[in-house]
Amino acid sequence: MDVTDSATTTLPPPPPSSESAPLLSDSTLQQASPQEDHCVASITEDHEVTCWGCGLCLILSPYTPIFKCGWCGAITNHNARKIDNTYFWWRRLRDRCFVCVLLLFMLFIIGGGIWAIYPIVFSFSYFCGIFHMTLSIILSVTTIATYFLAAFRSPGIPPLIPWGSYPAVGKGGLDGYTFCNYCSKPKSPNSHHCRSCGMCVLDMDHHCPFIGNCVGAANHRVFIIFLISAVISNLYVSLISSFTAFHIWPPIRQVPIAVLSSPSDYMLVYSFLKETALSFSTSVESLSLRGFILIYLFLASVSVEIGLGVLLWQQLSYVYQGKTYLSHLSSRGTNRASKKDCQNIVRFFGCPYSATRCLLGFWNSRKTHKK
């Protein structure tokens, strides 16, 4: 975006005195006056622009759609137009439906796991049952609590600063700020307006419909902790459900190994595969309801774990680069490069430097920098 700085204007030199100026007739003065008035009026109407940040009048070219105030630093874009936000309530309804569906899914996973898994686990040993029950309660509470914090906490509102008046706005007080046509207030350079939430979000990463909220400066950390907790919980559910299903699965009829005595005969191989599939289908038919619940828990947890794992890896890679998803999109195709370092992750999670000094020092000492 090309931004033109407002230039200071100088007044024209004063007219020559009556002693040195040639005498003009009255007819000449009458002909010159209308032309001079016309020139002054055209300059005032076409070149005078008011800065929204400090309220000062600027003299600019009429072909300058985007300019930056030389006093307060506010950026004005005359080409910016407010887009009709007709589908705002539909987006909010969609987000609320996603939140309800995800909450029901988590409750079903927790309830189905307690009903299908833990009677079998407690039958092995009482200590094993208590251990797995305690671990599942910790993972469930952590996942649901972080989900609620990420979904219902404000993503981060930009701070309010004075604007619109020259005495209130100091020099450079609105440097890089633009005007949000939706919120009708200044928008900082690291803010973005979300039309789904209807507000400007500070350090916005993206709008997630599954939490019904934006991921910004105030809930970005909680969102990543929720992803970590959800991935660990789904990994635990997939392991414990497969372990339990293995112990309650009906016995599969063994196929005689004699059918493989002649590997070159394709009919024998076909008959072996047919007998194996028939034995497996027979065991599935005799499977109880608890077994089908365990199969569903395993498939659902594995699929959710893969999706959330990819999203978690993407989020951590952006944090490692010191970026957000929107800043990554805006910097694509440009030469702007950010510093990639593990310190970005440490600062993001708010860990003290003393606790990670040894690990990060060892990690950074092994890095090789290419020139």
Side-chain angles (χ1 to χ4, degrees), residues 84-119:
D84 188 15
N85 203 10
T86 308
Y87 302 101
F88 171 75
W89 292 108
W90 290 106
R91 295 192 189 99
R92 300 299 292 175
L93 180 61
R94 176 205 62 186
D95 294 346
R96 293 296 177 262
C97 291
F98 275 126
V99 170
C100 294
V101 169
L102 194 57
L103 284 175
L104 290 176
F105 175 76
M106 287 191 293
L107 293 178
F108 175 78
I109 293 293
I110 295 173
I114 293 175
W115 179 79
I117 296 175
Y118 290 100

Side-chain angles (χ1 to χ4, degrees), residues 208-262:
C208 182
F210 292 99
I211 65 174
N213 197 5
C214 283
V215 179
N219 64 345
H220 196 181
R221 185 189 309 170
V222 179
F223 178 74
I224 292 185
I225 295 176
F226 161 70
L227 293 179
I228 296 174
S229 177
V231 169
I232 296 175
S233 300
N234 283 278
L235 178 62
Y236 170 75
V237 170
S238 61
L239 292 177
I240 194 65
S241 60
S242 59
F243 175 77
T244 308
F246 176 77
H247 283 81
I248 68 170
W249 199 274
I252 300 176
R253 184 170 59 89
Q254 299 292 332
V255 180
I257 305 179
V259 298
L260 296 178
S261 59
S262 179

Side-chain angles (χ1 to χ4, degrees), residues 97-159:
C97 291
F98 275 126
V99 170
C100 294
V101 169
L102 194 57
L103 284 175
L104 290 176
F105 175 76
M106 287 191 293
L107 293 178
F108 175 78
I109 293 293
I110 295 173
I114 293 175
W115 179 79
I117 296 175
Y118 290 100
I120 310 300
V121 174
F122 272 97
S123 64
F124 298 149
S125 66
Y126 187 76
F127 174 78
C128 181
I130 292 296
F131 172 77
H132 285 284
M133 181 65 73
T134 305
L135 184 60
S136 64
I137 290 175
I138 293 175
L139 292 176
S140 301
V141 171
T142 304
T143 304
I144 294 178
T146 52
Y147 178 78
F148 271 95
L149 288 176
F152 298 104
R153 173 185 284 185
S154 175
I157 302 176

Side-chain angles (χ1 to χ4, degrees), residues 286-355:
S286 60
L287 196 64
S288 62
L289 179 62
R290 179 176 279 106
F292 285 105
I293 296 295
L294 291 174
I295 294 176
Y296 175 79
L297 289 177
F298 175 78
L299 296 177
S301 60
V302 169
S303 56
V304 172
E305 177 187 350
I306 293 174
L308 293 181
V310 173
L311 180 59
L312 176 62
W313 177 260
Q314 183 189 47
Q315 289 289 312
L316 291 178
S317 65
Y318 289 149
V319 174
Y320 175 75
Q321 298 173 13
K323 296 180 179 179
T324 60
Y325 177 69
L326 289 181
S327 64
H328 170 73
L329 293 180
S330 61
S331 63
R332 184 181 297 178
T334 61
N335 295 327
R336 290 183 296 176
S338 58
K339 183 179 179 181
K340 300 179 180 180
D341 196 359
C342 293
Q343 286 292 338
N344 295 328
I345 300 180
V346 174
R347 285 190 295 266
F348 178 81
F349 287 102
C351 298
Y353 183 77
S354 58

Side-chain angles (χ1 to χ4, degrees), residues 5-13 43-44 46-49 56-62 70-71:
D5 291 339
S6 60
T8 59
T9 59
T10 58
L11 295 176
I43 292 176
T44 303
D46 296 339
H47 297 265
E48 185 175 338
V49 180
L56 296 179
C57 293
L58 308 176
I59 305 300
L60 297 173
S61 171
W71 172 257

